[in-house]
Amino acid sequence: MNAKRKRIGLHVLLAGSLSLFAATVQAVDIKVISDSPLEPALTKVVDLYRQQTHNQVSLVFDPSPAVKKRIENGEAADVVIVQPDFADDLTKSGNVSAGDRPIIAHVGVGLGNRQDSPAYDISSADKLKVTLLGADLIVFNSVKSGQAFADALERLGIADTLKPKIVRTTPTGIFGPVLSGKGNDLVAGTIPLIATTPGIKLLGPLPGDLQSTLTYTAVVTTNTSQRDTAERFIEFLLSPQAKEAFAASGAR
């Protein structure tokens, strides 16, 4: 009886070892370069992808203009996730494949402040205007989401009034002045980044028609050696579970 049990145990162990070996052999590594506002959401989605496929994904984040430049300068990648106009440019230059460009996510622009600052109501244009006029410092970036916020200030009719209080920085530099500040300081930027930055709380999205969303598309590079895996990864980004993970992180 003991010998029989030992044989069964050996067979189970061997089967498990073979399964693990097969999974290891079949696993594929791909590299994805993405626009930085998607980092909080895409990181969670990729975790789900890894769990289900055992494939490994190397994620690199940079603003869309920098992603475009990196690819044009010859940096290797399998998938690129950028705003559609940058995908158009990369297609024209022959760096990414032509064809379908699925929209994988939309990211809105919001307003935040330090965790210990008041939780202002910005749910209407009038309330947003009052909040902005009461700020000591307003920080936002110098790329597309920052321009969307600058356009909102113009539409509110307070751009010139607020000019002495405004600091524009790189996309990764918007939180530093607010976190190190002592006054009534505000930061405007993409909602996922505001919502997931330690020490910062999201006051809310820009209300109504003041809102402007950034759209992201995923494309396969022309020089990838893992085309099938890259295409299946993009398919996963469109799956219901991926959409749920995007939404939970402030993208939709």
Side-chain angles (χ1 to χ4, degrees):
M1 193 68 174
N2 287 338
K4 184 177 180 181
R5 287 177 179 173
K6 286 181 180 179
R7 285 197 300 273
I8 292 173
L10 182 59
H11 290 160
V12 170
L13 179 61
L14 180 59
S17 298
L18 290 173
S19 297
L20 180 60
F21 176 76
T24 302
V25 169
Q26 293 171 7
V28 178
D29 294 353
I30 60 171
K31 179 179 176 181
V32 177
I33 305 182
S34 171
D35 199 338
S36 48
L38 277 181
E39 181 171 359
L42 188 60
T43 300
K44 292 183 179 179
V45 172
V46 166
D47 284 343
L48 290 175
Y49 174 79
R50 290 189 185 111
Q51 291 168 20
Q52 293 193 19
T53 66
H54 303 292
N55 292 336
Q56 295 302 307
V57 179
S58 172
L59 285 171
V60 178
F61 295 97
D62 228 341
S64 276
V67 173
K68 174 178 174 287
K69 186 174 182 180
R70 291 171 74 149
I71 295 297
E72 289 177 339
N73 287 344
E75 183 167 345
D78 301 291
V79 175
V80 175
I81 301 175
V82 287
Q83 297 158 29
D85 50 345
F86 293 98
D88 289 341
D89 291 341
L90 288 171
T91 300
K92 291 174 185 176
S93 64
N95 288 285
V96 302
S97 300
D100 291 340
R101 294 193 201 131
I103 301 302
I104 63 161
H106 302 270
V107 173
V109 178
L111 196 68
N113 60 3
R114 287 187 302 277
Q115 288 285 359
D116 59 356
S117 298
Y120 297 113
D121 183 354
I122 61 166
S123 59
S124 70
D126 287 341
K127 290 176 179 177
L128 173 63
K129 185 174 181 178
V130 169
T131 298
L132 293 170
L133 289 172
D136 296 318
L137 182 72
I138 303 171
V139 186
F140 53 102
N141 68 43
S142 53
V143 294
K144 196 164 186 177
S145 59
Q147 188 54 49
F149 183 71
D151 291 344
L153 297 183
E154 291 285 352
R155 295 180 63 187
L156 288 169
I158 58 176
D160 289 339
T161 302
L162 293 178
K163 193 171 291 185
K165 304 177 179 182
I166 289 174
V167 173
R168 298 194 71 167
T169 74
T170 63
T172 57
I174 60 174
F175 299 108
V178 175
L179 288 169
S180 63
K182 302 297 181 184
N184 186 20
D185 306 321
L186 300 171
V187 58
T190 53
I191 290 172
L193 288 180
I194 293 176
T196 58
T197 296
I200 297 290
K201 70 171 177 291
L202 177 67
L203 295 173
L206 299 188
D209 61 4
L210 293 173
Q211 181 59 260
S212 179
T213 57
L214 305 181
T215 300
Y216 292 100
T217 184
V219 289
V220 178
T221 61
T222 53
N223 63 355
T224 178
S225 61
Q226 303 292 346
R227 178 166 297 275
D228 288 345
T229 302
E231 289 176 350
R232 287 196 296 271
F233 173 75
I234 293 176
E235 290 174 3
F236 182 84
L237 296 180
L238 299 171
S239 68
Q241 55 195 318
K243 293 293 185 184
E244 185 177 341
F246 275 127
S249 300
R252 58 179 179 81

